[in-house]
Amino acid sequence: MCRRLASPTVDARAATGATGAANHVREAGPGMRDKPTHLLSMRVRARKLIRLALLACLVALPALIAGPATANPAGSNGQLLFARYDPNLDDTVLHTINPDGSHDQQVVPFAVECPHWSPDGTRIAACGTVSHLPGPDTGGATIIDPDTGSYREIRGPDPELTTACYVWSPDAKRLACESWSDEEFIGEMNDPTRNGIYTIRVSDGQGLTRMTSNPYGDDVPMAYSPNGKRLVFARYDENGDSLGLFVVKTNGTGLRQIAPAGVTCCSAGWSPQGNNIVFSRHVTPDVHSSIWIVHFDGTGLREVPAHPAYGCGGPNSDPNAGGCFDPRWSPDGEQIVFGNGSGDLGRNVYTVRPDGSGLHQVTHGDAGQSNEQPDWGPHPLG
């Protein structure tokens, strides 16, 4: 649910009248063609309020699968989750799949954005709420059971602050939230100096606690450190331009920039071993995004030499080049899951080792299909 300030390209797309819910501007600058048009158009600085759209008739649908599964031990590679564009909803729906591409299954019938596995693989957090709860829409989260399709909504706790909450703390007790107070969302009681990252309790959505401050800008939480003491996030200025990748202690101190500008929204991963962070970036504005790894202290920046179907980091001018985005670590820290493609070429999910070897294509959609926002958890294989 990135409340990203959009480029003129995105504004032009929004002017076509597209509608949808809970959508990210996933990349800033010319390289945004790597990301889905339906996502980009919803995250303009006209700022249509995010919401995970739910058709009223779908609310009453029964759970899709019975019987919860027991979570794998921590560090075991289980199922992937990802979002697939559904033209009927003009948004993405949640799927789970085995790493070998088998057992591809839709989890819930409504639109879902920014899905993240819980640390034990028994739940999925998505940003925003799926139904029109009474009162002002202040974001929050939807917690989904991947085995039954049942879900629980968490309303944002502050009526004067929109909170998009989806990044689990390692103990699964709190969610980190991209948060803002802008007039288009909040109305007259807005205060953009409150923009930043906050956390809430998973149990009841309360306990709002501020972690970062970025007045008039946007801080996007990406991943906690395995010990829960730090958070990595992307920072953007009031114009939506990337300022880089940052790490901060969960008490709000110790802010450190660890990667330069050009970081793409909205996914990154902190390795289970605790030493490396994987993310995507545009090296220059005229190329597609590529995957990079950096130590949590900002040293050792290097590119992951992955070579999926449409490449990583190719020139925007090449119609056959795509971007690589949304990287996250496997639970055992030995592999990376990511998305590859562009609006014209389609998008699919891949896995690869950090040294670029062992590339494997997980989804096989054509140019008309978009599979993105993957995450890899310990949930048992289907």
Side-chain angles (χ1 to χ4, degrees):
M1 170 182 161
C2 282
R3 181 208 53 86
R4 190 57 30 71
L5 306 177
S7 71
T9 302
V10 181
D11 292 329
R13 286 172 177 159
T16 64
T19 59
N23 293 300
H24 299 259
V25 166
R26 314 279 300 176
E27 297 188 351
M32 283 190 291
R33 68 180 67 191
D34 298 348
K35 295 292 186 173
T37 300
H38 69 277
L39 295 178
L40 297 174
S41 63
M42 293 302 104
R43 239 355 113 187
V44 298
R45 199 42 155 161
R47 309 190 204 65
K48 295 184 178 179
L49 182 60
I50 68 144
R51 212 185 286 267
L52 297 177
L54 177 63
L55 300 177
C57 63
L58 294 179
V59 177
L61 285 180
L64 300 182
I65 310 170
T70 302
N72 281 347
S76 298
N77 292 345
Q79 283 195 310
L80 310 178
L81 60 78
F82 68 96
R84 173 174 289 161
Y85 178 64
D86 184 337
N88 294 320
L89 296 177
D90 192 26
D91 210 330
T92 54
V93 292
L94 177 63
H95 282 244
T96 55
I97 192 171
N98 290 341
D100 64 2
S102 64
H103 210 266
D104 182 350
Q105 182 169 349
Q106 185 174 334
V107 179
V108 288
F110 47 80
V112 167
E113 278 290 342
C114 32
H116 282 62
W117 282 115
S118 64
D120 65 359
T122 62
R123 293 172 289 173
I124 297 168
C127 55
T129 54
V130 302
S131 62
H132 296 276
L133 296 173
D137 191 328
T138 54
T142 299
I143 307 300
I144 302 167
D145 185 325
D147 299 304
T148 67
S150 61
Y151 62 92
R152 173 173 63 92
E153 297 174 278
I154 302 173
R155 169 57 60 82
D158 188 334
E160 297 178 12
L161 186 73
T162 300
T163 50
C165 308
Y166 51 93
V167 178
W168 297 85
S169 62
D171 62 6
K173 293 182 178 180
R174 301 189 72 83
L175 293 172
C177 315
E178 177 191 10
S179 308
W180 62 92
S181 178
D182 291 341
E183 184 175 2
E184 286 83 355
F185 288 95
I186 306 300
E188 293 182 0
M189 299 300 291
N190 72 96
D191 181 6
T193 64
R194 298 187 66 193
N195 293 5
I197 294 172
Y198 294 71
T199 66
I200 61 172
R201 290 193 297 266
V202 175
S203 59
D204 59 4
Q206 299 301 305
L208 185 70
T209 303
R210 187 166 196 163
M211 191 182 299
T212 74
S213 176
N214 187 4
Y216 296 89
D218 192 18
D219 287 349
V220 182
M222 291 185 164
Y224 278 91
S225 61
N227 62 14
K229 294 182 178 181
R230 291 176 172 83
L231 183 87
V232 61
F233 68 97
R235 172 161 285 182
Y236 301 85
D237 67 16
E238 62 183 7
N239 298 313
D241 295 326
S242 168
L243 297 176
L245 194 68
F246 292 77
V247 167
V248 67
K249 293 181 180 179
T250 52
N251 64 5
T253 65
L255 180 68
R256 177 198 296 259
Q257 183 171 356
I258 62 169
V263 175
T264 63
C265 181
C266 296
S267 296
W270 202 310
S271 68
Q273 293 78 9
N275 54 338
N276 289 324
I277 293 168
V278 64
F279 65 102
S280 64
R281 63 184 284 244
H282 297 285
V283 177
T284 59
D286 58 345
V287 299
H288 291 280
S289 53
S290 50
I291 301 175
W292 293 73
I293 291 174
V294 66
H295 299 324
F296 76 92
D297 63 0
T299 63
L301 180 66
R302 65 180 178 88
E303 185 175 2
V304 176
H307 300 285
Y310 301 118
C312 300
N316 293 340
S317 58
D318 183 352
N320 295 314
C324 294
F325 42 83
D326 292 342
R328 296 180 193 168
W329 292 98
S330 60
D332 67 2
E334 298 296 323
Q335 298 182 70
I336 296 166
V337 63
F338 67 98
N340 170 246
S342 72
D344 296 330
L345 302 172
R347 299 172 187 84
N348 280 295
V349 175
Y350 288 77
T351 60
V352 71
R353 295 189 183 98
D355 64 2
S357 65
L359 181 73
H360 174 71
Q361 185 170 349
V362 179
T363 65
H364 295 269
D366 58 21
Q369 189 176 89
S370 183
N371 301 296
E372 69 261 355
Q373 306 175 58
D375 191 16
W376 202 335
H379 185 279
L381 300 179

